[in-house]
Amino acid sequence: MTVEQTSTPLVGAELERSCTQFLYREAELLDEADYTGWADTCLSEELEYLIPIRTTRERSSGISEFSREAFHMKDTYASMRLRVDRLLTEHAWAEDPPSRTRRVVTNVRVRELGPGEVEVKSYLTLHRSQWDTTDYDLLVAERRDILRSDAGGWRVRRREVLLNHTILGTANLGVFL
């Protein structure tokens, strides 16, 4: 069996480019700390945002490493808006001073689900530093998104972030993945 026979069908270059450009723009908004712009232009009001906890299991167990009951984040559009709005106040202590972040999005794979809806898998590497130290956080994950098209472009309807880490080395998860 060849690689082409085992992978999902390729979408057209224009659709793939459109989705990839959306992910790049989203990363830019977050790295610039434009959280309101991110929520207003990138998130669907039907948002489901999940970061399940990863556990280490033996390969032979046949059980997913990712919990379906415990999450680092499990948000809807309403709860995500509360997070965004809180970041704009003096009560966001974990982000004061704000983190300096750089997101690298790679390995974008797009599969069409239906008219105006796509599944996009991508890899994310997030470098995060704060304060005046040489310390930094490096988070690596696969993201599985469902993007839906509306009049303003693509929006994230569902995001599942599958972290490579079982134990997070970061003091808090005050940033968005």
Side-chain angles (χ1 to χ4, degrees), residues 71-89:
F71 300 86
H72 295 290
M73 284 186 179
K74 185 175 183 180
D75 283 294
T76 62
Y77 181 77
S79 61
M80 192 62 78
R81 281 310 301 219
L82 287 173
R83 285 182 189 268
V84 166
D85 292 345
R86 186 172 177 275
L87 280 173
L88 304 176
T89 72

Side-chain angles (χ1 to χ4, degrees), residues 45-148:
E45 290 187 10
E46 300 169 344
L47 178 70
E48 182 181 12
Y49 187 98
L50 307 169
I51 306 177
I53 291 175
R54 183 178 206 147
T55 58
T56 302
R57 300 224 163 84
E58 292 181 6
R59 188 181 326 218
S60 63
S61 74
I63 300 170
S64 172
E65 288 184 90
F66 295 97
S67 175
R68 291 291 160 213
E69 298 164 2
F71 300 86
H72 295 290
M73 284 186 179
K74 185 175 183 180
D75 283 294
T76 62
Y77 181 77
S79 61
M80 192 62 78
R81 281 310 301 219
L82 287 173
R83 285 182 189 268
V84 166
D85 292 345
R86 186 172 177 275
L87 280 173
L88 304 176
T89 72
E90 69 276 5
H91 301 293
W93 301 295
E95 282 300 305
D96 193 11
S99 293
R100 291 176 294 277
T101 61
R102 192 66 61 217
R103 289 163 178 79
V104 178
V105 179
T106 65
N107 295 57
V108 178
R109 287 102 57 216
V110 180
R111 185 171 63 95
E112 200 162 6
L113 297 176
E117 191 168 77
V118 293
E119 174 187 66
V120 180
K121 293 182 181 180
S122 63
Y123 294 161
L124 174 72
T125 301
L126 171 75
H127 180 276
R128 175 189 186 199
S129 63
Q130 203 175 20
W131 301 98
D132 291 328
T133 71
T134 58
D135 297 333
Y136 61 89
D137 297 329
L138 192 62
L139 296 171
V140 179
E142 177 180 3
R143 296 189 305 187
R144 296 179 180 176
D145 296 337
I146 304 294
L147 303 183
R148 199 172 275 164

